[in-house]
Amino acid sequence: MAKKLSTEMVSLLGNYGHIGFTFVIAIFLGLGGGIYLDEKFFEGKTSPWFTFIGLAFGIAAGFNSLFQILRTPAATPEDEDEKVD
Amino acid sequence: MEHPILFISIILEKLGLPIPHGPVGHGLLEQLCEPYMTYTWFVMAFLVVVGKLTLSNIEIMPGKGQNFWELLIGGMHDFFNANMGEELTEKLFPMIATFALYIAVANLIGLIPGFMSPTASINTTLALTIIVWVTHHIIGFRAHGAGYIKHFLGPIPVLIPLMLPIELISNIARLLSLSIRLFGNIMAKETLLGILFMLAGAFFAPLPIMLLGVLVSLVQAMVFVLLTVVYFGQAQEHAH
């Protein structure tokens, strides 16, 4: 019982423990890409438009990866107690 | 860097090899003698030697060593089967199981004084993550051909200009989050242990952190493997 509980705990931890990290990284990737487009590619002529567009895409990507994490099959471990008992 | 004493570095220095004192060495030889490189070789040698010692004569009635490995490998095999299907498990089990063993041992080795976790360096974790990331795209292309691109195009064609950047960003975010999480957790453990050891090592101050370190090391190794398996499974299945 204790072993079952701990493996379930670890798989839940693995699935949900990285939500925050992935979310933040997606936002910063979008923002960084936007800033790069503004400053390096268009050399500041379009500033700050691509920064904001990139930020919006980054936030959307964060929510997208959040939904992807929630949809994974491992996120809902099946109730094995019913099978065993 | 993290630990005051790294015994492999000391031995190599006595042998006359250049040991870098900063975080990055200059020459090729100096980069090869970085602590995370030498301790990576150490972990590899450890795994090979222990495997050889415990599994040199396989019996029908397993002894202690063989029992341990059968439990571990059998558990991992069942877990991979449940999460990414039999076909992928048959193909990729050696790779992922090696990652699991390597990361677990590499994380735990940093708890012993005189050793350093190779995973406390971003180079090691990024290398592991790049292998996983590239492999999951290869699996996708082999399973779906050019249709794998549909994974990145969203549900309806009208939304392609919106969904393509979003999916690309969240895919690259996987690469970064997988590597930085393992690196960050292990480096935090190593740095905290080092600081506590220097501040109050005589009063056993690092002891509670060592206890937590065991937990963190095992959980991070399992999380890395779990996410690897989930990504492989997702690349294999059909686009939503």
Side-chain angles (χ1 to χ4, degrees):
Chain A
M1 186 61 207
K3 186 173 174 287
K4 211 182 297 166
L5 203 68
S6 69
T7 50
E8 187 183 327
M9 200 55 211
V10 168
S11 71
L12 288 178
L13 213 74
N15 260 298
Y16 298 123
H18 72 294
I19 286 179
F21 215 87
T22 314
F23 206 88
V24 171
I25 282 188
I27 291 175
F28 274 97
L29 263 178
L31 184 63
I35 289 175
Y36 177 82
L37 273 184
D38 257 351
E39 299 297 326
K40 295 276 157 26
F41 201 70
F42 293 109
E43 290 167 349
K45 272 177 273 178
T46 51
S47 173
W49 289 104
F50 278 106
T51 307
F52 285 133
I53 293 171
L55 181 61
F57 272 127
I59 293 170
F63 277 104
N64 183 38
S65 52
L66 173 63
F67 290 132
Q68 274 179 2
I69 291 165
L70 294 181
R71 261 209 322 265
T72 51
T76 51
E78 49 189 301
D79 204 1
E80 289 191 8
D81 288 336
E82 290 171 9
K83 273 188 211 163
V84 176
D85 295 334
Chain B
M1 185 169 61
E2 279 86 11
H3 279 288
I5 302 161
L6 296 171
F7 83 97
I8 291 185
S9 295
I10 292 176
I11 292 172
L12 288 180
E13 205 160 25
K14 285 278 188 297
L15 286 176
L17 288 165
I19 300 298
H21 291 287
V24 176
H26 294 294
L28 178 68
L29 196 60
E30 206 166 75
Q31 278 171 357
L32 281 177
C33 293
E34 296 262 359
Y36 69 86
M37 286 291 279
T38 50
Y39 280 90
T40 297
W41 284 104
F42 180 82
V43 171
M44 280 152 59
F46 175 81
L47 283 174
V48 169
V49 167
V50 168
K52 196 77 188 162
L53 282 181
T54 47
L55 294 174
S56 54
N57 50 342
I58 290 177
E59 301 158 17
I60 296 176
M61 297 290 284
K64 269 184 208 161
Q66 195 184 336
N67 232 333
F68 169 75
W69 286 110
E70 278 183 10
L71 193 70
L72 192 69
I73 300 294
M76 277 201 276
H77 196 269
D78 289 348
F79 175 72
F80 296 167
N81 254 340
N83 279 309
M84 62 179 188
E86 291 209 5
E87 188 195 344
L88 274 184
T89 307
E90 293 309 316
K91 254 187 237 164
L92 291 167
F93 180 79
M95 182 182 128
I96 310 175
T98 311
F99 275 10
L101 288 175
Y102 169 72
I103 293 175
V105 173
N107 289 348
L108 284 172
I109 210 173
L111 293 169
I112 309 169
F115 292 82
M116 171 204 165
S117 291
T119 37
S121 159
I122 187 83
N123 299 312
T124 312
T125 59
L126 196 61
L128 293 172
T129 312
I130 287 173
I131 296 172
V132 167
W133 194 75
V134 170
T135 311
H136 97 265
H137 283 310
I138 292 175
I139 289 171
F141 274 115
R142 281 182 68 160
H144 306 293
Y148 180 57
I149 300 169
K150 279 183 195 149
H151 278 236
F152 300 100
L153 296 184
I156 41 176
V158 185
L159 282 181
I160 285 178
L162 193 63
M163 290 304 282
L164 184 63
I166 290 176
E167 293 279 353
L168 283 181
I169 289 174
S170 51
N171 200 280
I172 297 172
R174 284 178 174 183
L175 179 66
L176 287 177
S177 83
L178 201 58
S179 62
I180 295 178
R181 187 182 48 253
L182 182 58
F183 157 70
N185 274 290
I186 304 305
M187 196 206 63
K189 182 202 78 182
E190 295 271 288
T191 313
L192 194 55
L193 278 179
I195 290 171
L196 281 179
F197 184 73
M198 278 191 287
L199 281 180
F203 304 105
F204 298 108
L207 212 57
I209 306 299
M210 280 187 169
L211 202 68
L212 282 177
V214 175
L215 190 72
V216 167
S217 304
L218 291 177
V219 165
Q220 287 306 317
M222 281 191 79
V223 163
F224 190 94
V225 173
L226 181 90
L227 287 178
T228 306
V229 170
V230 166
Y231 291 163
F232 286 176
Q234 276 179 354
Q236 172 89 330
E237 70 191 18
H238 285 285
H240 36 79

